[in-house]
Amino acid sequence: MGRRQRHNEPKSGGNRQAKIAARAAEREELSVEPRPFAGFAGECDMVAMREFVPSATARLTTTAERREITLATVLPGAIAGLVRDDELGGEAMVGLQVQVHGPDPAVDLAYAVDWASRAGGGETLNASHPDESTPALEDVVVADAPLEIVVHGDFSWWLAEDAQVRPEIAQAIKNANEVMMPSARVAADGIDAAWWVDAGEKAHVRWVRPENEDALFEALARVHSAGGLHLGEGSRFAGSFRTHGLLVPVFDLDPEMHHQEWAPGLVELDARLGEALAKDGPLSSDERASRDGLRARQVTLR
């Protein structure tokens, strides 16, 4: 009598099945490019728009010339894309902050852009569903084209001009406007992706930087050790976070000052960081102490 074979298939809904699914998801996460928007001229701002900017749009330069496509922080209902009715202009829009997403935001965006280039007026894309036929983002968006961003004070741009507003849409816009914190992109020569937000008692600048994370972190430690990690009077370094393979220093600010008043401080700090990044030697004992202190105030979003 032969030995009875054991069946190793996990029971549906069991702990083992959950563990296997979790490991598979973790492997998928690890296989994703850590900097999904690397190589794009607007990488840092695309990361900012996806992670914390409330209301902004930018016109994408696409490889296909079927129609213009607008990149948005978030669309109504956090859907992936929509095309307005032809009588309302037929504008195509894709969103970065979506309710349903996969492990790679660049792949999700590529799917939405490809869909928006072909969709008809009035169509919506609730979520991207990429597969092996989905083009790479650089195949549908021109990588070296600058990203000209428009920051909005509310979400009224969700509506096309002269559109008839349904009560539920009007309520959705009202709700979104009520929770939105005033934000702005600080404009200064040589400074990209420095985003100011008025959080009430304090204001902040979150500055998405393009350098290698580890190299920039050491540069921050050098500048901090020398007492230069600030944007001037009324500012304080609050910490940093990592997201999409980039490091984002954060500064607490005097909320009474206009966001553009921080531009000179950003330029000066950028110069100090540039000098620190150019140094090759090991950190001094004071700089190592600064590094350890900064690391204690760092978080990772994804």
Side-chain angles (χ1 to χ4, degrees):
M1 184 174 178
R3 295 178 63 186
R4 186 167 58 184
Q5 292 182 341
R6 296 182 64 184
H7 297 283
N8 293 319
E9 288 296 321
K11 292 181 180 180
S12 177
N15 290 336
R16 186 180 172 208
Q17 186 183 50
K19 290 178 180 178
I20 290 173
R23 285 197 295 267
E26 185 178 354
R27 285 195 299 271
E28 186 176 19
E29 286 278 354
L30 291 173
S31 68
V32 171
E33 168 60 48
R35 288 178 65 168
F37 303 118
F40 285 83
E43 177 189 13
C44 293
D45 279 313
M46 291 169 79
V47 168
M49 289 176 68
R50 189 180 192 276
E51 290 303 317
F52 55 79
V53 176
S55 183
T57 56
R59 187 57 51 86
L60 286 175
T61 303
T62 57
T63 56
E65 297 183 358
R66 297 187 187 100
R67 60 156 53 106
E68 292 184 335
I69 297 177
T70 298
L71 179 68
T73 50
V74 62
L75 296 174
I79 61 175
L82 62 84
V83 179
R84 286 175 172 157
D85 292 333
D86 293 336
E87 59 268 26
L88 295 176
E91 183 179 7
M93 310 182 82
V94 294
L96 280 168
Q97 299 173 28
V98 293
Q99 188 171 23
V100 180
H101 59 81
D104 191 331
V107 174
D108 288 344
L109 181 59
Y111 183 96
V113 170
D114 185 54
W115 172 88
S117 70
R118 295 177 283 102
E123 292 189 46
T124 59
L125 177 68
N126 289 330
S128 295
H129 298 287
D131 54 29
E132 60 277 0
S133 67
T134 301
L137 187 58
E138 60 266 24
D139 292 334
V140 292
V141 175
V142 178
D144 59 358
L147 202 61
E148 300 295 335
I149 298 172
V150 177
V151 182
H152 303 277
D154 56 27
F155 288 94
S156 60
W157 55 270
W158 278 359
L159 295 173
E161 190 176 350
D162 299 326
Q164 295 294 320
V165 184
R166 300 196 306 271
E168 63 271 22
I169 298 297
Q171 186 62 47
I173 294 174
K174 182 176 183 292
N175 293 342
N177 288 343
E178 287 176 349
V179 299
M180 175 181 164
M181 292 185 290
S183 298
R185 189 174 183 270
V186 183
D189 289 340
I191 303 300
D192 293 320
W195 288 86
W196 172 92
V197 60
D198 182 354
E201 292 184 3
K202 292 181 180 178
H204 310 285
V205 157
R206 301 170 180 137
W207 192 5
V208 188
R209 300 280 305 196
E211 295 88 359
N212 171 275
E213 291 177 86
D214 294 331
L216 178 59
F217 199 79
E218 289 207 350
L220 290 170
R222 293 184 192 275
V223 174
H224 180 269
S225 177
L229 193 53
H230 57 79
L231 302 181
E233 185 177 353
S235 71
R236 182 184 70 86
F237 179 72
S240 62
F241 62 88
R242 295 173 184 260
T243 183
H244 299 310
L246 298 176
L247 191 62
V248 186
V250 181
F251 299 86
D252 290 340
L253 309 173
D254 179 354
E256 297 301 317
M257 294 178 65
H258 188 270
H259 67 269
Q260 274 303 125
E261 292 185 75
W262 300 107
L266 283 163
V267 173
E268 292 169 6
L269 177 55
D270 187 58
R272 293 193 290 271
L273 287 172
E275 293 176 2
L277 283 162
K279 294 182 179 179
D280 293 328
L283 298 178
S284 68
S285 59
D286 287 343
E287 290 167 346
R288 288 196 301 272
S290 286
R291 179 192 60 191
D292 295 341
L294 296 181
R295 187 169 287 150
R297 288 187 277 172
Q298 185 183 68
V299 297
T300 299
L301 296 187
R302 56 169 54 85

